[in-house]
Amino acid sequence: ILAISFLIFSVLLTTAAYLHHVWVAVSVVSLLAIASVATHTIPFALVAAWFPEERAFYLGILNVFSVIPQIIDTLYTGFIASKFGEPFLFLIGSIWALSASIFALYSLPDRATELSYLSTT
C-alpha cells in the first residue's frame, strides 16, 4: 500500500506541474491529500508495530529523518524555482516520490515476515 501511495503521489505531482485550470488543480490537490495521508501515517504505524518495546525511540528517529529532508529542501528550492520555474519543483518532487515508491516496494519486508515478527513478540 505504501509503494502504491508513493506512486500515486508521484503521478499527481507530475500532473500538478502542468495544470492551468483551477478546478483541475483543486481535484489534483484533493487526491494528493489522500496519498499524502498514507505516506505520512503508514511508516509511523509500521515502526510502532515492528518495535513495540522501543516505540518512542524509533518513532523519534523516524520523525527526525522525515524532517531533515524538508529542511534541506528549503536550501535549494528557491534557487531551482528562480532558474527553472516553479513547475520544475513539482517534477523534482515527483522523482523523489517515485524513488520512494521503488524503495518501499523492494526494501520493506513482506507481510509474512512482518506477521511472523509480530507473533514472536
Side-chain angles (χ1 to χ4, degrees), residues 47 51 53-64:
V47 167
F51 306 104
E53 299 296 323
E54 302 131 345
R55 181 181 327 173
F57 176 73
Y58 287 110
L59 286 174
I61 290 174
L62 178 61
N63 192 37
V64 166

Side-chain angles (χ1 to χ4, degrees), residues 41-54:
T41 56
I42 291 174
F44 288 94
L46 288 174
V47 167
W50 287 339
F51 306 104
E53 299 296 323
E54 302 131 345

